[in-house]
Amino acid sequence: MQKNDTAVVKITDIGTNGEGIGKVDGYTLFIKDAVIGDTVEAKVMKAKKNYGYARLMKIIEPSKYRVKPLCAYARKCGGCQIQEMSYERQLEFKAQKVRGNLERIGGFTPELLDRVMEPPAGAANPFGYRNKAQFPFGTDKSGNPVTGFYAGRTHYIIANTDCALGVSENQRILEIILRFMKQNGVKSYDETSGRGLLRHVLIRYGFTTKEIMVCLVVNGTRIPHVEKLVEELVKIPGMTSITMSVNTKRTNVIMGDSYETLWGRGYITDYIGNLKYQISPLSFYQVNPAQTEKLYSLALEYADLKGGETVWDLYCGIGTISLFLAKKAAQVYGVEIVPQAIVDARTNAEINGITNAEFYVGKAEEVLPKYYEYSADVIVVDPPRKGCDEALLQTIVKMQPERVVYVSCDSATLARDLKYLCAEGYELVRVRAVDMFPQTVHVETVALLSHKSPIVLST
Ligand code: SAH
């Protein structure tokens, strides 16, 4: 096939980015927005020797898994990839994605995976689940400020203040900010010229406490007439924290290095289970609180604590998992690279009256080896997408905890790391995908590894 050719294609598979895959005379086509089971007409946009990328032109026969998207921008927006797939099918896709990586990258056999893989934990609410949103600002053709989401793989802003994954409060806040910008001549930041003031707004919402945080990210040190904006924002019930973060760098990084409080507190609080957490604009906090509770409960179940254990929680963020574990363990040590997150972690331990959790700032792969004479019965890791550093895996192997609980947001690096640990005395016992991000291709996974010959300590 060649560029601009069109073909009728039956979609028989799903790619890792959610795209439909079909074959035409043995030639594979990847078609974004086509759903498995669809028969579509597609136009080739890019042709390689054995495969190509095509655009969905017409749905000839819709799949039984195809559903009407809730959002009018579902196809264009880069935020969601699989909104047109039924939620049940999304879950199956995610479980298969994890399984595929464990098989291909991890080298685990289908028989083992049949035994250890548990059904994916789906969300009761696959929409409106996000407690955090970051909206970029831009300027439309008539010079008016706009906000919305980036179109897939670009920085082109699709104007939309009503994202189906977020809370309804977002829209009201965004409309207030846009009106303020227009009335006061406050310009959106422009990436190409580096000019303009308002770059992004970060909005956080405590699902349990109903507290709202607004953090304005600016290319400058002050926002003219900001008191007028504050006056409007505080009318919103639940408004708790209005802050500003200065970011004058020409970078894709959204937040600045610090923030200052314009009104109210510098943080909001929220609950996961019965634990209370304090969240500041710069700390990492899981975006889907309902599913996070399931995820942490599962991590706790896999850790199988009896009360006397020493547990390490590596990549601990603001100590969320650590505090979950602390209730059932003798001692928990948390390690995290962001200093502000550790400040929050210590505060979180304190406000929950937890005294058996200690926190260290630093890279997990550098901190853990230093404390390696401390025993570890269970080690929990929850690394970013790139997975664990090999130096860390080596230290885990040396420390020989009985169980390792691996919480992962990227099943490819999970598979790689599990392969390493399983070659060094561990075996894979349980794996479960938890859907933290419905409508997207992202999937969180929890895995339990057990040491094959736990060392029996003489008393
Ligand atoms: N367990 C936490 C955070 C998980 S996200 C929670 O559930 O909320 C991963 C965390 O790892 C982030 O907070 C990030 O700042 C931190 N991180 C990234 N690289 C790290 C490293 N090398 N050592 C320690 N922490 C790191």
Side-chain angles (χ1 to χ4, degrees):
M1 299 216 68
Q2 288 180 349
K3 192 175 163 158
N4 294 329
D5 282 355
T6 55
V8 172
V9 195
K10 172 90 184 162
I11 306 299
T12 51
D13 206 352
I14 313 172
T16 46
N17 295 316
E19 70 278 31
I21 302 177
K23 282 199 167 148
V24 182
D25 299 331
Y27 186 87
T28 305
L29 285 175
F30 294 90
I31 309 166
K32 186 178 154 329
D33 304 313
V35 172
I36 187 165
D38 278 347
T39 300
V40 302
E41 189 183 297
K43 183 174 175 183
V44 179
M45 307 309 291
K46 200 169 166 184
K48 303 263 187 181
K49 194 159 169 273
N50 301 313
Y51 65 91
Y53 299 92
R55 176 181 292 166
L56 171 59
M57 304 303 283
K58 201 161 102 194
I59 298 162
I60 295 170
E61 206 187 319
S63 159
K64 63 174 178 188
Y65 304 118
R66 178 172 277 283
V67 293
K68 195 173 178 309
L70 206 66
C71 170
Y73 304 98
R75 268 188 79 172
K76 278 199 223 155
C77 176
C80 291
Q81 298 87 39
I82 48 175
Q83 225 191 86
E84 289 168 287
M85 195 187 287
S86 71
Y87 188 56
E88 289 68 33
R89 192 64 187 84
Q90 290 185 23
L91 284 180
E92 200 180 321
F93 157 68
K94 292 184 188 197
Q96 276 169 356
K97 183 170 172 171
V98 173
R99 191 186 164 104
N101 282 332
L102 290 175
E103 239 180 272
R104 271 193 316 275
I105 304 170
F108 296 99
T109 62
E111 296 71 35
L112 177 97
L113 294 173
D114 282 344
R115 215 168 54 237
V116 302
M117 280 202 76
E118 297 165 9
N125 294 319
F127 286 100
Y129 61 80
R130 284 188 67 101
N131 59 14
K132 171 188 167 182
Q134 293 178 123
F135 293 87
F137 288 97
T139 308
D140 70 10
K141 290 198 181 82
S142 351
N144 291 316
V146 286
T147 185
F149 282 92
Y150 292 132
R153 298 201 191 116
T154 71
H155 272 194
Y156 172 77
I157 296 173
I158 297 165
N160 174 23
T161 54
D162 184 22
C163 168
L165 301 191
V167 295
S168 56
E169 282 76 2
N170 290 343
Q171 187 166 33
R172 187 163 168 203
I173 294 167
L174 295 172
E175 299 295 347
I176 289 175
I177 299 174
L178 289 174
R179 205 177 322 127
F180 161 80
M181 290 172 77
K182 264 189 174 174
Q183 285 170 356
N184 295 279
V186 173
K187 298 278 180 231
S188 300
Y189 176 69
D190 171 31
E191 281 181 330
T192 22
S193 67
R195 293 216 199 101
L197 189 63
L198 215 48
R199 296 175 74 127
H200 273 87
V201 61
L202 161 76
I203 304 172
R204 273 181 159 153
Y205 179 77
F207 272 74
T208 309
T209 58
K210 313 260 185 282
E211 293 177 2
I212 301 173
M213 163 190 290
V214 173
C215 179
L216 303 151
V217 186
V218 292
N219 175 44
T221 49
R222 56 177 284 275
I223 306 169
H225 311 293
V226 73
E227 65 290 346
K228 289 188 196 167
L229 175 60
V230 169
E231 195 185 314
E232 290 305 310
L233 288 175
V234 300
K235 289 181 188 160
I236 298 175
M239 188 57 64
T240 303
S241 165
I242 304 176
T243 57
M244 176 176 95
S245 180
V246 173
N247 181 0
T248 53
K249 293 190 191 132
R250 302 285 287 264
T251 158
N252 279 342
V253 175
I254 295 177
M255 303 298 292
D257 299 328
S258 61
Y259 64 93
E260 57 188 91
T261 305
L262 299 174
W263 180 87
R265 297 195 309 235
Y267 60 87
I268 59 167
T269 56
D270 201 23
Y271 286 84
I272 302 173
N274 55 12
L275 287 169
K276 190 176 183 179
Y277 297 100
Q278 193 166 302
I279 312 142
S280 64
L282 299 178
S283 345
F284 176 90
Y285 187 68
Q286 299 284 0
V287 298
N288 182 337
Q291 288 300 92
T292 299
E293 188 174 347
K294 280 189 202 159
L295 181 77
Y296 291 174
S297 304
L298 202 59
L300 187 62
E301 184 187 320
Y302 282 14
D304 191 23
L305 302 175
K306 304 278 184 268
E309 294 89 347
T310 299
V311 184
W312 285 81
D313 176 23
L314 308 174
Y315 309 89
C316 70
I318 60 170
T320 34
I321 298 181
S322 320
L323 300 187
F324 248 69
L325 298 164
K327 293 189 287 180
K328 299 263 173 76
Q331 180 66 42
V332 177
Y333 299 104
V335 184
E336 160 64 43
I337 199 168
V338 175
Q340 178 63 42
I342 288 293
V343 172
D344 289 348
R346 291 185 180 132
T347 311
N348 289 332
E350 203 180 306
I351 58 182
N352 289 288
I354 290 173
T355 51
N356 60 338
E358 255 178 60
F359 296 96
Y360 301 102
V361 182
K363 289 186 181 168
E365 60 272 24
E366 289 173 6
V367 173
L368 192 65
K370 283 191 214 149
Y371 294 90
Y372 127 74
E373 68 276 15
Y374 286 41
S375 71
D377 299 300
V378 178
I379 294 184
V380 178
V381 298
D382 183 8
R385 285 191 196 160
K386 68 173 195 250
C388 296
D389 194 279
E390 201 172 310
L392 176 67
L393 297 176
Q394 269 168 19
T395 312
I396 292 176
V397 168
K398 275 195 207 152
M399 287 174 91
Q400 297 214 340
E402 260 180 60
R403 285 179 294 288
V404 176
V405 179
Y406 197 130
V407 181
S408 158
C409 54
D410 184 329
S411 53
T413 56
L414 167 75
R416 179 200 68 199
D417 293 348
L418 293 183
K419 184 179 185 181
Y420 182 101
L421 292 168
C422 287
E424 300 286 347
Y426 284 89
E427 67 182 329
L428 186 57
V429 186
R430 295 176 74 174
V431 181
R432 187 162 192 193
V434 179
D435 192 16
M436 302 277 271
F437 313 103
Q439 321 306 334
T440 81
V441 293
H442 302 293
V443 55
E444 201 85 5
T445 312
V446 191
L448 170 65
L449 293 168
S450 175
H451 202 273
K452 278 188 202 146
S453 51
I455 300 164
V456 182
L457 296 173
S458 54
T459 45

